[in-house]
Amino acid sequence: MNDYLFIRHNELIRLADNSRIKSIVNVFNDQVRRARALTLYLRPSPTKSNEDHRLLLDAIKAGDALTAKTIHTEHRVRAGAMLISILEKHKLIMV
C-alpha cells in the first residue's frame, strides 16, 4: 500500500478511538503488508482500488455511513480475494 493510502487508512482507525480495533487492525495490517509486498509485481494496476478510495472519501464527506461501509467492505473483500488468488496461482500459499 502506498504511503498516502496507509496514512488515510490509519487516520480512519485513529478517528474510531477504539484501542481494541486499533490492535486488531495492526495485526491484520502486518499480514496484509507482507502479502502485498510478496505480490507487488504480480498485481494488476490499481485502477479499481483508486476509484474505490475516491468513492469512499466522497461518501465519508457526505456523511453517508451506509454507502461508506458498503464501499469499504466490497473493496476489502475484492482486494483480499485478489491477493489470495495471486498467492495460490503462484503456489505461495495453499488455502
Side-chain angles (χ1 to χ4, degrees), residues 71-85:
I71 292 166
H72 179 260
T73 301
E74 290 174 358
H75 172 76
R76 297 305 304 167
V77 168
R78 192 172 39 258
M82 178 192 59
L83 284 176
I84 290 170
S85 173

Side-chain angles (χ1 to χ4, degrees), residues 33-44:
R33 189 174 12 263
R34 285 184 273 142
R36 289 182 57 82
L38 189 61
T39 62
L40 181 63
Y41 299 105
L42 303 172
R43 287 182 270 130

Side-chain angles (χ1 to χ4, degrees), residues 9-23:
H9 287 177
N10 282 344
E11 181 64 7
L12 290 173
I13 300 305
R14 186 190 68 76
L15 291 170
D17 195 30
N18 181 315
S19 61
R20 180 151 170 77
I21 288 175
K22 288 177 187 176
S23 177

